[in-house]
């Protein structure tokens, strides 16, 4: 028993070491990722089921690492938040996304781009000036730029978040509350938030056609949003059953694999052309 306990500890130590090594490795190579053109964006269409149109797209970051290959954001966004690298990465995302959106507009596709913004970015007092600078430099109306901010980030420091979100809203940006339903916001705060849109978290959509509780939760979120004059979109709509149930619940805006995975901008343009 003693020996195996020791072995377990050795194993634990080894896997800990591997984790730390991997993390340091990612952290270091992330420093050069922007300069080496290793980051790129993919876009996922947002569909209005009523008008049957693509009305927007969400920008999602990817990292093509020279040795490891493709890395998803779940693997490096939190590291970049801890090191502070997220700040410059976030500005790079905004710039690239707005350049691509402007090109789409010039090709006749007038749609809104949604950009994920983490609380670490909002905490930087230069954020509002810097993001405005990016938008003005490229030259697009701010009403076509939606910032997605997760509910849990907002709720972790609600007063501070309210101040920044109000400023961003006054500047003309659209705001959306991401991963809604997972962050425990109270109705009174929801009412105060200047966001136009509530994005229902994927976890409530997954079993929506067979789980009555999930269906009730989604129905409640939709009713609440309506009462507050806000728009709703459901993420993670993967199947015809998801779409049918969401339609039945009067949630007419959806995003998910049913219509398209996130794709690169050229493919996205083709998708919209053929939709
Ligand atoms: P999120 O903002 O909640 O984005 C939705 C995630 O769900 C994306 O994962 C998307 O690819 C995935 N997804 C879309 N449709 C479906 C579906 O039908 N089924 C399933 N199972 N998944 C679907 P992704 O691209 O790996 O991004 C993960 C998270 O990383 C995002 O979650 C967001 O929090 C963060 N992230 C991505 N790009 C950025 C960025 O540019 N900046 C910041 N700060 N965070 C980002
Ligand atoms: Ca999002
Ligand atoms: Ca989500
Ligand atoms: Ca998320």
């Amino acid at each position: 028993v003693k020996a195996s306990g020791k072995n377990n500890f050795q194993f634990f130590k080894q896997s800990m070491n591997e984790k730390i090594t991997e993390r340091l490795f990612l952290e270091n190579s992330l420093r050069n990722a922007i300069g080496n053109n290793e980051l790129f964006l993919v876009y996922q269409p947002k569909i209005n089921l009523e008008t049957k149109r693509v009305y927007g797209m969400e920008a999602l970051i990817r990292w093509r690492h020279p040795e490891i290959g493709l890395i998803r954001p779940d693997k490096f966004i939190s590291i970049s938040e801890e090191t502070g690298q997220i700040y410059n990465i976030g500005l790079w995302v905004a710039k690239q996304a707005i350049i691509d959106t402007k090109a789409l507009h010039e090709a006749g596709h007038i749609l809104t781009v949604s950009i994920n913004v983490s609380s670490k970015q909002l905490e930087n007092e230069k954020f509002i000036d810097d993001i405005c600078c990016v938008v003005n430099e490229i030259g697009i109306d701010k009403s076509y730029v939606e910032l997605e901010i997760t509910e849990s980030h907002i709720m972790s420091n609600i007063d501070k978040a309210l101040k920044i979100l109000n400023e961003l809203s006054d500047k003309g940006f659209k705001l959306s509350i991401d991963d809604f339903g997972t962050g425990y916001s109270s109705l009174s705060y929801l009412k105060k938030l200047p966001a136009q849109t509530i994005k229902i978290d994927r976890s409530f959509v997954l079993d929506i056609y067979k789980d009555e509780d999930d269906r009730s939760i989604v129905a409640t979120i939709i009713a609440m949003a309506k009462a507050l004059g806000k728009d709703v979109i459901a993420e993670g709509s993967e199947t015809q059953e998801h779409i049918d149930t969401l339609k039945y619940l009067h949630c007419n805006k959806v995003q998910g694999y049913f219509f398209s995975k996130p794709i690169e901008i050229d493919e996205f343009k083709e998708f919209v052309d053929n939709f």
Side-chain angles (χ1 to χ4, degrees), residues 136-273:
N136 294 336
E137 211 175 89
I138 299 161
I140 196 173
D141 196 283
K142 292 192 191 73
S143 63
Y144 293 114
V145 181
E146 177 179 72
L147 306 176
E148 292 194 0
I149 297 148
T150 61
E151 186 192 20
S152 54
H153 283 161
I154 295 170
M155 293 316 292
S156 65
N157 193 338
I158 180 75
D159 293 324
K160 225 167 146 188
L162 264 177
K163 186 170 171 281
I164 296 169
L165 297 183
N166 277 316
E167 273 178 60
L168 286 167
S169 174
D170 290 344
K171 297 269 185 205
F173 289 101
K174 293 261 157 47
L175 299 171
S176 170
I177 309 173
D178 209 351
D179 296 350
F180 190 82
T182 63
Y184 311 103
S185 34
S186 68
L187 264 176
S188 56
Y189 279 125
L190 196 57
K191 198 180 135 195
K192 283 190 203 158
L193 285 175
Q196 291 79 13
T197 303
I198 286 173
K199 195 168 194 182
I200 302 173
D201 192 62
R202 189 165 82 220
S203 58
F204 301 110
V205 176
L206 190 64
D207 292 327
I208 195 173
Y209 54 95
K210 56 177 190 219
D211 186 314
E212 215 174 297
D213 292 337
D214 285 348
R215 208 156 46 235
S216 305
I217 291 171
V218 171
T220 305
I221 294 175
I222 292 164
M224 200 169 70
K226 275 227 172 90
L228 295 172
K230 297 188 193 299
D231 222 347
V232 210
I233 178 171
E235 64 175 17
S237 317
E238 295 181 358
T239 64
Q240 185 69 57
E241 282 104 326
H242 286 153
I243 301 291
D244 291 344
T245 315
L246 287 163
K247 242 184 178 164
Y248 172 78
L249 294 172
H250 304 292
C251 177
N252 289 314
K253 291 181 175 166
V254 299
Q255 187 185 335
Y257 295 165
F258 180 75
F259 286 108
S260 173
K261 294 206 164 189
I263 45 185
E264 287 187 58
I265 191 67
D266 295 341
E267 209 183 325
F268 185 90
K269 192 175 169 298
E270 256 173 63
F271 179 89
V272 182
D273 278 333

